[in-house]
Amino acid sequence: MNSPAISYSIVIPTIGRPCLDRCLGALAAARGPVPEQVIIVDDRPGRPATPLRWPPSPLAVRVVATGGAGPAAARNAGWRATASPWVAFLDDDVVVEPDWRQRLAADLAQQPDRIGGVQGRITVPPPRGRQPTDAERATMGLAGARWITADMAYRRAALVAAGGFDERFPRAFREDSDLALRVLRDGWLLRQGSRRTVHPLRAGSPWLSVRAQAGNADDALMRRLHGRGWQAQAGAAPGRRPRHLLITAAAVAAAGLSAAGASTRSHGRPGTRWGARLAWAVALAGTAELTAARIAAGPQQPREIATMLVTSLVIPEAATWHWLRGSWRARQAPPWPPPPQAVLFDRDGTLIHDVPYNGDPAQVRLMPTARTAVKLARARGMRVGLITNQSGVARGLLTPADVDAVNARVAELLGPFDVIQVCPHGPADTCSCRKPAPGLVTWAAAALGLSTHDCAVIGDTGADLQAAQAAGARALLVPTAATLGPERSGAWTAADVLTATAMLAGILPLPSVWPARAGQRSEPASPPQRIAVTPARTS
Ligand SMILES: [Mg+2]
Ligand SMILES: [Zn+2]
């Protein structure tokens, strides 16, 4: 198999587990195009005394430390440290197959622009000669899970537009489904690739399934963010939560009614007594069924049976507690990502009418909604900046003083800007600031003391969008008659600057970057496959 040329980076978050060695070893040994960079995100909490270590690798491995921020934040730090058009996420406990790099390249090469992500195929070898334990079943559920970041490649443009992973998901659960749903909502398509990755079985603590109930809180956040239908969209099994809630409600009612009965002198009224008996019966029957199902699925060894008997007593209550806690916490959760902290406006054709190589302040005329847009951005607490290519300087048609005079006039009409960045070079200068290069965006963000990922660009050309994207800033296109058709694809587009600003501020919804055309919505995100069995719910 020939490997197509493809530029990609790999991001592997880790909390320092020894399995990282094997993961990196398999990656280095695989055939196929070499990744531009392998970013290991060291998410060990605090400031670990010892650096991460692994056997020497021929790959360009770099470490980014996140100090225990959680997998979502770790992956964000990882992909933001890369520059390649594709980013492949791996878990530190997977082992890629020998042809993984070759197949990854094939998976990513020649994908239409609209494909935002390509998933790998995860296999989990089952235990030999016996049924899997509860903890093993938890791992085996990964084999069918959709879009899991154990092996998932995203187009950088899709990550930038989505604002990366939602960092409010604190554990390695649902944050990958959440990102996938947002990428799909932006109009990208997700595909299943051909590369294979093995996720070995791991032994877990006997309490794994009890602790995994914390995932119910993440489900509550998913429901808040994506609505009732999120489970079907994400291919997540509905699981046992309804039954867990029923068992817990029955147990609470039984305890309450029994207490009420005991407090009345004549052993309570018959209604209360029968109510209590019924509630106990429901709670016990539900718990018995849960226990039996978990034992039946396992290897039926004494130790495993004992674990199932004990943990099944508390799983429904734990699930209910985390669901209630999560629902309360998520009740007003705003969408991800938060509004940008700064808006960087292009000048010509965006804030003011484009007069080619204009050095005359008298010729400055504002675009229709520019004044309100800048005002709105300021009112929403966003800093405002101006980033503009002025090749007229390099061409000898303008002096830097002319450019400054025009900028001063713009600031006179719109109020002062928090930052102004000008590229005076021409196309032949191959500078790093002339848009589509990222320099103006990077410098403006630095001057404001912000990360580029907290900035957004509003402009009227593809160069504005590319500059933003290369820097990692979100971008909105406000097309004019001069904007070319192809510049609009893959971009959030707004009718005017005010609408664009309102979208960034979260006042108006963002449109799809790839608007659905008639009959095009139906391409499945990935071929039909085994539905994700969410371990936390099935056990
Ligand atoms: Mg422009
Ligand atoms: Zn320049």
Side-chain angles (χ1 to χ4, degrees), residues 389 422-426 429-435 437 440 443:
N389 283 356
V422 179
C423 166
H425 308 113
D429 295 332
T430 59
C431 65
S432 60
C433 45
R434 182 175 159 79
K435 298 177 278 187
L440 295 181
W443 298 342

Side-chain angles (χ1 to χ4, degrees), residues 260-495:
S263 69
T264 341
R265 244 172 270 153
S266 56
H267 299 289
R269 274 162 292 166
T272 312
R273 244 173 23 228
W274 281 107
R277 282 179 194 165
L278 180 66
W280 280 124
V282 170
L284 287 175
T287 306
E289 187 270 336
L290 171 68
T291 315
R294 295 178 71 216
I295 291 173
Q300 282 136 43
Q301 297 153 346
R303 196 189 161 81
E304 177 77 0
I305 291 175
T307 304
M308 297 303 101
L309 283 170
V310 174
T311 54
S312 298
L313 286 176
V314 290
I315 281 178
E317 290 72 19
T320 305
W321 160 247
H322 287 295
W323 172 250
L324 292 174
R325 176 180 70 83
S327 301
W328 176 256
R329 195 179 225 185
R331 71 197 184 284
Q332 282 169 345
W336 185 268
Q341 294 179 46
V343 189
L344 308 175
F345 293 94
D346 166 55
R347 196 190 79 183
D348 301 330
T350 302
L351 288 180
I352 63 174
H353 286 274
D354 188 9
V355 179
Y357 311 120
N358 178 31
D360 176 8
Q363 289 199 57
V364 171
R365 284 187 306 122
L366 291 181
M367 294 292 274
T369 62
R371 199 189 302 262
T372 334
V374 174
K375 215 169 140 182
L376 173 66
R378 286 200 191 98
R380 288 281 166 152
M382 297 189 274
R383 322 274 290 280
V384 293
L386 196 66
I387 50 171
T388 179
N389 283 356
Q390 295 298 329
S391 66
V393 177
R395 294 173 214 266
L397 304 168
L398 288 172
T399 66
D402 292 335
V403 175
D404 287 346
V406 170
N407 288 346
R409 175 63 182 149
V410 176
E412 194 184 338
L413 292 168
L414 293 175
F417 287 87
D418 297 301
V419 62
I420 295 179
Q421 293 287 349
V422 179
C423 166
H425 308 113
D429 295 332
T430 59
C431 65
S432 60
C433 45
R434 182 175 159 79
K435 298 177 278 187
L440 295 181
V441 181
T442 316
W443 298 342
L448 295 171
L450 296 173
S451 155
T452 51
H453 302 281
D454 295 323
C455 299
V457 171
I458 298 179
D460 66 319
T461 66
D464 296 315
L465 301 181
Q466 287 167 40
Q469 202 196 85
R474 281 172 273 169
L476 263 137
L477 182 75
V478 180
T480 63
T483 310
L484 305 173
E487 295 178 292
R488 300 175 194 225
S489 60
W492 280 321
T493 302

